[in-house]
Amino acid sequence: MHNNPIIAEVDFSQNGKHWGYLRLPHSVHRSAYGWIPIPVASIKNGKGKTVLIMGGNHGDEYEGQVLVAELFRILQPNMIQGQVILLPMANFPAAQAGLRTSPIDQGNLNRSFPGKPNGQPTEIIAHYIEHELLPRVDYVLDLHSGGSSLIYNGANMLVLKPRNQAEKLKVHQLIQDFGLPSAFFVPANPLTISSAARRQGAISIVAELGGGARVDPKILSQARQGVLHFLAAQSILQGALVPKQPPSKPRLMHVAGDQHYVYARHQGVFVPSACLGSIVQAGQKAGEIHCPARPWDTPYQVTFVGGGEIICQRALAQVEVGDCLFQLAGDEQ
Ligand SMILES: [Zn+2]
């Protein structure tokens, strides 16, 4: 159809639980006729909504990989009305290596949509997701975190700024169904899964679940409850796994442009003056960049460009010019 070379071992139109690999042909020195194995499952039971749940879009974000793999094991057709498609390691080479980007082609899957059927492996995966999977689904839950270089404050949802009132009502309802503590509205970037979903008539919610190249069990548990709440609210999940408590009401915030970011403008060791969750003002001190190789130099002062709440901060002390140190959000009007 779209000439994508990936061969699915799973027939997504069949009822029942089916799993195997998306085989991405990859001919290399150690494996001339080999393929890259992207794990996939389809759990389908009759008519209803379809949701794609992804982890490992970025390979160094482990929360989603663990959670989607857990769903892979526990979800059974008799718990489902409609369909759940699971990709625990969406960019498999990156996830296998524990890297944000693929070690094969340096591709960042979430900056590769709509992808190319005849491109590099990351572009082929993006193309397959956008053109083969997204047209089948109503919703995408793409589970991210801060990865190796960033840490988000707890469990959050990130969604595209709605384009009109009808979309706003729909998206606000979906955010409440997921029920993680905070939701951030962000401007659209055409290269991401959220824009890909929008192009294909689906709605995507990205989760940002901690980070710092580790897994926080409390955040993981919140994300698990959120996914189950979401599936139950769409009438996809039924039975014992439906959470007993209703989801809590998320706080709505927005991330705008440059005023909500702080970047390093010097190389060195960053010592922050504020922490996750703090409310800061424009012009307030954000920290200092120290240069131990030039101990006679006064550390460089870093200030916040705009005000807001710190939702994400850099996890690594060493910084170069252009590194993101803080991300802020403002309350949604
Ligand atoms: Zn990510």
Side-chain angles (χ1 to χ4, degrees):
M1 230 171 32
H2 292 285
N3 301 318
N4 191 291
I6 289 178
I7 294 167
E9 293 182 345
V10 167
D11 180 349
F12 297 103
S13 66
Q14 296 291 314
N15 276 319
K17 181 170 181 174
H18 303 279
W19 45 270
Y21 292 114
L22 301 175
R23 301 181 183 184
L24 197 175
H26 192 54
S27 177
V28 289
H29 176 76
R30 56 157 293 280
S31 183
Y33 296 165
W35 35 269
I36 294 170
I38 304 162
V40 64
S42 165
I43 303 115
K44 179 168 159 63
N45 182 19
K47 290 201 184 331
K49 298 289 186 188
T50 297
V51 61
L52 167 65
I53 310 178
M54 287 171 47
N57 179 334
H58 291 135
D60 60 343
E61 302 172 6
Y62 304 103
E63 300 82 347
Q65 299 180 46
V66 170
L67 182 48
V68 181
E70 183 187 334
L71 295 170
F72 204 112
R73 297 188 296 275
I74 63 176
L75 290 181
Q76 303 301 334
N78 64 2
M79 305 168 181
I80 300 295
Q81 183 66 49
Q83 187 173 17
V84 178
I85 298 172
L86 301 172
L87 284 180
M89 297 171 90
N91 194 357
F92 179 85
Q96 182 83 336
L99 299 171
R100 179 171 178 83
T101 53
S102 173
I104 296 173
D105 55 20
Q106 315 313 318
N108 176 342
L109 179 57
N110 214 30
R111 300 293 184 275
S112 297
F113 292 94
K116 290 182 192 158
N118 53 359
Q120 293 296 314
T122 305
E123 296 172 313
I124 295 173
I125 295 169
H127 182 270
Y128 186 87
I129 291 172
E130 175 150 354
H131 297 95
E132 302 291 340
L133 296 183
L134 293 183
R136 300 175 172 276
V137 314
D138 300 289
Y139 309 111
V140 180
L141 302 182
D142 188 19
L143 309 180
H144 286 249
S145 80
S148 308
S149 73
L150 298 169
I151 300 177
Y152 269 90
N153 190 16
N156 310 277
M157 299 170 286
L158 202 141
V159 284
L160 295 185
K161 218 172 172 45
R163 292 166 295 183
N164 53 53
Q165 190 60 24
E167 203 171 81
K168 185 174 174 180
L169 288 173
K170 176 84 184 153
V171 168
H172 278 220
Q173 183 58 53
L174 294 172
I175 288 168
Q176 296 204 11
D177 294 342
F178 204 158
L180 299 183
S182 303
F184 309 125
F185 291 96
V186 296
N189 173 346
L191 305 178
T192 64
I193 182 84
S194 302
S195 292
R198 186 176 261 186
R199 284 192 287 272
Q200 301 300 330
I203 299 176
S204 154
I205 302 180
V206 167
E208 291 290 358
L209 308 167
R214 58 192 281 272
V215 176
D216 180 319
K218 182 167 167 261
I219 295 175
L220 187 64
S221 150
Q222 276 179 308
R224 182 188 298 112
Q225 289 299 104
V227 169
L228 296 177
H229 270 132
F230 184 87
L231 294 177
Q234 314 321 317
S235 305
I236 298 172
L237 181 71
Q238 48 207 8
L241 282 181
V242 174
K244 302 289 177 282
Q245 303 292 325
S248 51
K249 207 169 155 60
R251 189 167 157 213
L252 304 186
M253 305 185 83
H254 71 276
V255 178
D258 264 356
Q259 80 259 31
H260 279 154
Y261 291 86
V262 178
Y263 297 104
R265 302 187 66 85
H266 298 276
Q267 187 173 353
V269 177
F270 180 58
V271 181
S273 302
C275 59
L276 281 174
S278 302
I279 311 286
V280 299
Q281 311 297 327
Q284 184 179 325
K285 183 175 174 179
E288 294 178 337
I289 296 174
H290 292 249
C291 184
R294 293 176 57 81
W296 44 84
D297 279 355
T298 306
Y300 295 102
Q301 302 296 300
V302 183
T303 54
F304 289 101
V305 185
E309 179 176 321
I310 300 178
I311 60 168
C312 178
Q313 77 170 82
R314 184 169 168 83
L316 306 169
Q318 278 199 317
V319 299
E320 292 180 21
V321 178
D323 285 339
C324 178
L325 306 177
F326 288 110
Q327 184 186 34
L328 311 182
D331 279 314
E332 188 73 354
Q333 306 305 322

